[in-house]
Amino acid sequence: MSVKLETRDNEIVARFDHPLPPDQIRAMQHAVGDRIGRFEWNENSFLLQAAAGDTASAEVCDNGVRLIFAKLIEQPASPAVDPAAKDFALASAAANQAAGYPNRARAQLLGLVRQYPRDPGVERALADSDAAIGARLRAGRAYLMLRAQDDDAGRIVRELGGAIGVTVLARDGTGFRQIDGTVRGTLPIYAEVAAEAAIRVVRTHADPVIDSTGIGHEVRESHTMLELAARGFVGPTTRVDLVGATWIGRGSAGLSGQLRLGPPERELRLLGAYHLPDISTAEQAVGGGFINRISIGGTLRLSSKAVIQADGYINRYGLAGEGVVARTVSVTGGLDYLLRRREPWLTLTYRLEAEYPGRLTLRPGGALALPFSNRENHTVQLATGKRFGIVQLGGSAGWTKDRFGGSGPTATINASTAYHGWRAELATGVSSISRPDFPGRQYFLRVSFTRALGRL
């Protein structure tokens, strides 16, 4: 038997070299059923068209013709790609990102993702936007899928496997010196959330320290603190920090949680802490200090050059075995005004750091259990920075005035570098911001090393 097949526009035409038996035609129609939309035949040929939603094809076999039916999957029409329009939209998003409006840039990029699905340039820009707002796990997974090879993307991809770091902070003030060393490990656990564990060893040298008898004496002690935390994004711009900590060997532990709602340009912050270990003063570092705290605050970008921030706190400071011994209200805030965007960038900053005591516990003889007093520090500084290859250098300098007495210089020099999974940071400077146990000028040095453990 000879058969000729033709297919056009989902129609199949078959021509045979001998007449077709009617019973075979009826058997074929019965077997195929409602998958035939149109069927016409005569003695030695037939025309067949599949029903709506199906597609049909045919092939010649030993016994005649085999019909093959399948569901028709309509592919959406690809939008016409206008390279100029896409490039303009990407440039606009980059400009919003650089101007300090990452949420506006992200909205533009999400629109481009819908318009140009699986476009590498658009997906890379969205990943860069995630990295800029701190969603580094989300950005790292995107870089991994894009097989990004540049250094900036590579550093973030390596963090997908976690990191371990060491930080040492030394500070020296009038009668109070402290060395605070921390070893911290981070590991992604779910979606955009990472777990942290840290051990802190705090060495305190203070003279005098007022004990429960009201007698001052010199103290040199070391204490160890254990911290466990979960941090990350639970939405596109919603971040949560949960921290638990305890003084090892003192039987006291505490918790804190912070919720940050909204993008960086208009962020709301809520914080609560209960019995969280605290070393704001020498007495707390020696006596197992803790803090109970609630706060509310936020950040608002006023323009591409100006950002304001403010946070208010209600604090309850305590000592192990004694409970709460000081109640205060504190306020922090500030204004950043960008003077020069190109490197070396230049920013004028104002900072407010104030605390007002309420009820304070007195020791025998009238000394305070914790040395809190009214303080209201106003600091104006100029800050600058510039990148030199893989090294980022920065610094700031200005003046601090405490409304309740005292003033002096405040300055910082910092440097950071990253290379093949390693990151190193150094900061040192002088501060005249008055704090409990730091009534005058203080000096500090902070050194940290972090090693990314590679992607999982």
Side-chain angles (χ1 to χ4, degrees):
M1 180 177 61
S2 175
V3 182
K4 293 182 179 180
L5 292 175
E6 295 180 18
T7 302
R8 61 179 184 271
D9 298 330
N10 204 31
E11 290 182 344
I12 299 172
V13 177
R15 293 184 174 88
F16 299 84
D17 62 354
H18 65 274
L20 298 176
D23 58 337
Q24 290 186 12
I25 293 293
R26 287 192 292 270
M28 183 270 292
Q29 289 179 294
H30 177 75
V32 176
D34 58 5
R35 306 199 76 167
I36 295 179
R38 178 187 174 199
F39 184 76
E40 299 173 4
W41 68 285
N42 56 32
E43 284 188 350
N44 60 355
S45 67
F46 69 75
L47 180 149
L48 181 147
Q49 186 176 45
D54 282 341
T55 182
S57 60
E59 60 183 25
V60 178
C61 61
D62 293 339
N63 298 323
V65 176
R66 177 183 292 116
L67 298 175
I68 303 168
F69 291 86
K71 286 294 182 184
L72 178 62
I73 301 177
E74 294 187 0
Q75 297 294 333
S78 298
V81 176
D82 183 347
K86 185 182 72 172
D87 291 345
F88 176 82
L90 285 172
S92 176
N96 277 318
Q97 182 77 48
Y101 294 94
N103 195 54
R104 187 183 299 173
R106 181 176 174 80
Q108 290 178 288
L109 292 171
L110 288 174
L112 285 174
V113 168
R114 290 189 291 268
Q115 189 176 359
Y116 305 103
R118 295 180 296 279
D119 184 284
V122 174
E123 292 185 349
R124 174 58 194 256
L126 184 60
D128 291 342
S129 176
D130 286 333
I133 66 171
R136 297 174 71 85
L137 294 179
R138 191 160 63 213
R141 294 188 182 100
Y143 290 143
L144 189 60
M145 292 183 64
L146 291 168
R147 295 183 172 88
Q149 301 295 322
D150 57 286
D151 292 340
D152 290 338
R155 281 192 292 269
I156 295 178
V157 168
R158 291 185 185 96
E159 295 174 8
L160 294 177
I164 187 167
V166 178
T167 302
V168 177
L169 171 64
R171 51 182 181 166
D172 187 0
T174 305
F176 183 23
R177 295 194 299 274
Q178 213 166 49
I179 297 178
D180 184 347
T182 303
V183 177
R184 186 179 305 275
T186 304
L187 183 67
I189 54 174
Y190 176 76
E192 309 304 322
V193 179
E196 289 186 2
I199 295 179
R200 296 177 62 189
V201 178
V202 183
R203 173 69 177 176
T204 302
H205 177 202
D207 184 20
V209 174
I210 306 299
D211 62 18
S212 58
T213 66
I215 299 174
H217 53 93
E218 182 179 6
V219 169
R220 295 174 182 263
E221 290 195 29
S222 295
H223 298 288
T224 303
M225 188 186 302
L226 174 65
E227 295 182 2
L228 298 174
R231 310 179 193 273
F233 283 71
V234 294
T237 58
T238 300
R239 286 143 290 180
V240 174
D241 291 346
L242 299 175
V243 180
T246 183
W247 289 106
I248 295 177
R250 296 196 175 190
S252 60
L255 299 169
S256 76
Q258 185 181 49
L259 182 64
R260 298 162 65 189
L261 301 169
E265 61 259 47
R266 56 174 190 277
E267 180 183 81
L268 173 66
R269 293 183 290 272
L270 304 172
L271 180 143
Y274 178 74
H275 274 229
L276 192 70
D278 184 62
I279 54 174
S280 299
T281 68
E283 287 75 12
Q284 288 178 293
V286 172
F290 66 84
I291 185 172
N292 302 330
R293 164 180 282 178
I294 58 173
S295 78
I296 183 171
T299 299
L300 178 64
R301 177 167 286 280
L302 302 177
S303 70
S304 62
K305 293 186 175 182
V307 180
I308 60 171
Q309 56 182 303
D311 293 271
Y313 305 84
I314 298 176
N315 311 299
R316 302 291 184 266
Y317 298 94
L319 297 171
E322 296 189 56
V324 174
V325 295
R327 294 167 171 82
T328 73
V329 173
S330 58
V331 179
T332 62
L335 168 67
D336 292 356
Y337 189 83
L338 183 64
L339 300 175
R340 175 186 167 92
R341 192 179 302 277
R342 297 176 61 184
E343 291 190 347
W345 53 263
L346 187 64
T347 300
L348 177 65
T349 70
Y350 161 76
R351 291 291 182 269
L352 168 67
E353 207 273 352
E355 190 160 22
Y356 310 98
R359 185 182 303 174
L360 300 175
T361 298
L362 297 178
R363 298 300 193 196
L368 293 172
L370 294 179
F372 284 97
S373 60
N374 286 322
R375 55 194 182 89
E376 187 178 297
N377 300 280
H378 301 266
T379 303
V380 177
Q381 288 183 297
L382 279 174
T384 187
K386 182 176 174 59
R387 181 185 292 272
F388 297 89
I390 63 171
V391 178
Q392 176 74 45
L393 294 179
S396 62
W399 195 262
T400 296
K401 171 66 178 178
D402 185 351
R403 187 169 70 88
F404 293 98
S407 64
T410 296
T412 302
I413 297 174
N414 55 73
S416 64
T417 185
Y419 183 73
H420 286 294
W422 287 95
R423 182 172 181 82
E425 297 177 306
L426 169 68
T428 185
V430 58
S431 174
S432 298
I433 299 174
S434 61
R435 297 183 176 92
D437 276 334
F438 285 115
R441 196 169 302 172
Q442 313 118 45
Y443 301 90
F444 69 91
L445 173 66
R446 183 180 184 274
V447 180
S448 70
F449 296 93
T450 304
R451 172 63 177 172
L453 300 179
R455 70 175 187 262
L456 291 176

